[in-house]
Amino acid sequence: MKIFLDTADLNEIRKWQAYSILDGVTTNPSIMLKYGGYDMEVRAKEICQLVHPCPVSVEVTSNDHAEMLAQGRLFATWADNVVVKIPVINEYGEPSLDVVRTLVDESIKVNMTACLSFGQVVLGAKAGATYISIFGGRVSDEGHDASEVIRNSVEWLTHWDYPSEIIVGSIRTAMDVQEAVLAGAHIVTTPPKLLEKFIDHHYSRETVRGFNEDAQKALAKMAEAKMAETELVTAKRSELR
Ligand code: E4P
């Protein structure tokens, strides 16, 4: 199972990369805006360079299929680890499956994004998507069971031997990460602050504090013992004189 960071914050990416647990990065236009990546090309290139050869998803910004294709082809020239994010449908409900297929046939990796249902996953896999992003949080917003959609999707892909990997995004709580992982997601893409929640624990801190205190006490005891030994030797020497 892989962990991607859902961010365009370079410092956070550097930080988690240094812990060696980072397998990739996902962005979207809202994330780019939030983290000051107003020039998408510049920020995407910076991220790609930072995490190379791990994949970095960069999303097209048009409803028009010809423009999606042109943007996708352009993004793919920015770095060899770019993955082009294509929304499953545009804002008018027109499927982007043809765009996905064309880019994949040109050996461009595609993350078919904004998926909220099992049916979308099935069609994305048939269109050849490299990755399919299920937006877990938004599935729950709609009153559906995200775990069920994830589990059914992964089982179906495995059963029919489709190579598409499921990325679960729209993660809002540490519990969402846990549920996605346990439902069999190939990849979870999470905001950095939730990874903090995953790793930190007040009782782990307290446990380590206890060990550190005892280690200090042991050092003090060792110093005391050494001092007593030195005093004994000095006393013996003066007796002999
Ligand atoms: C990931 O690929 C998505 O872009 C992201 O997780 C969407 O999350 P949101 O539902 O919080 O916007």
Side-chain angles (χ1 to χ4, degrees):
M1 198 217 81
K2 295 175 207 151
I3 295 178
F4 288 3
L5 270 192
D6 201 21
T7 189
D9 182 331
L10 296 174
N11 288 332
E12 285 291 345
I13 296 170
R14 276 191 204 99
K15 175 171 143 188
W16 289 99
Q17 198 185 26
Y19 294 135
S20 304
I21 54 94
L22 192 59
D23 301 303
V25 174
T26 51
T27 67
N28 62 36
S30 306
I31 287 175
M32 286 290 193
L33 176 70
K34 182 171 174 191
Y35 294 101
Y38 308 130
D39 185 333
M40 224 169 69
E41 178 175 353
V42 170
R43 183 60 58 89
K45 283 180 175 170
E46 286 171 328
I47 300 173
C48 284
Q49 198 180 14
L50 203 59
V51 303
H52 192 271
C54 294
V56 178
S57 291
V58 185
E59 188 156 347
V60 297
T61 56
S62 173
N63 284 308
D64 178 72
H65 284 196
E67 254 181 72
M68 284 185 190
L69 278 174
Q71 287 186 3
R73 287 175 180 136
L74 174 68
F75 296 175
T77 66
W78 291 350
D80 61 12
N81 51 336
V82 161
V83 174
V84 178
K85 238 178 166 186
I86 304 287
V88 56
I89 52 175
N90 65 12
E91 60 182 282
Y92 309 116
E94 295 158 344
S96 313
L97 300 167
D98 50 330
V99 180
V100 173
R101 170 54 68 194
T102 304
L103 292 175
V104 168
D105 283 350
E106 292 174 17
S107 302
I108 294 172
K109 291 196 169 132
V110 174
N111 174 353
M112 195 184 81
T113 192
C115 295
L116 296 161
S117 72
F118 173 69
Q120 292 174 325
V121 172
V122 169
L123 296 183
K126 290 198 70 68
T130 322
Y131 302 102
I132 300 174
S133 289
I134 298 176
F135 281 14
R138 294 191 191 230
V139 171
S140 309
D141 288 345
E142 292 284 294
H144 299 294
D145 182 349
S147 293
E148 195 187 339
V149 177
I150 299 161
R151 191 172 299 108
N152 287 344
S153 300
V154 173
E155 278 176 16
W156 180 84
L157 289 170
T158 308
H159 180 78
W160 292 102
D161 217 13
Y162 279 97
S164 310
E165 288 186 275
I166 295 293
I167 303 179
V168 177
S170 191
I171 295 285
R172 285 140 193 203
T173 66
M175 197 60 197
D176 289 345
V177 180
Q178 195 169 310
E179 280 172 4
V181 169
L182 294 176
H186 302 108
I187 302 156
V188 177
T189 188
T190 167
K193 66 174 189 307
L194 292 181
L195 282 188
E196 300 273 5
K197 279 198 187 293
F198 246 48
I199 194 74
D200 200 7
H201 199 293
H202 69 95
Y203 198 30
S204 296
R205 289 186 188 211
E206 209 178 299
T207 303
V208 175
R209 191 174 303 121
F211 292 158
N212 284 344
E213 277 170 13
D214 286 346
Q216 289 306 319
K217 284 180 195 161
L219 283 176
K221 293 261 181 223
M222 210 163 72
E224 257 173 45
K226 224 174 197 145
M227 184 109 68
E229 198 184 307
T230 314
E231 278 166 10
L232 199 69
V233 172
T234 316
K236 274 199 177 143
R237 272 193 196 140
S238 29
E239 260 175 43
L240 287 175
R241 269 192 215 127

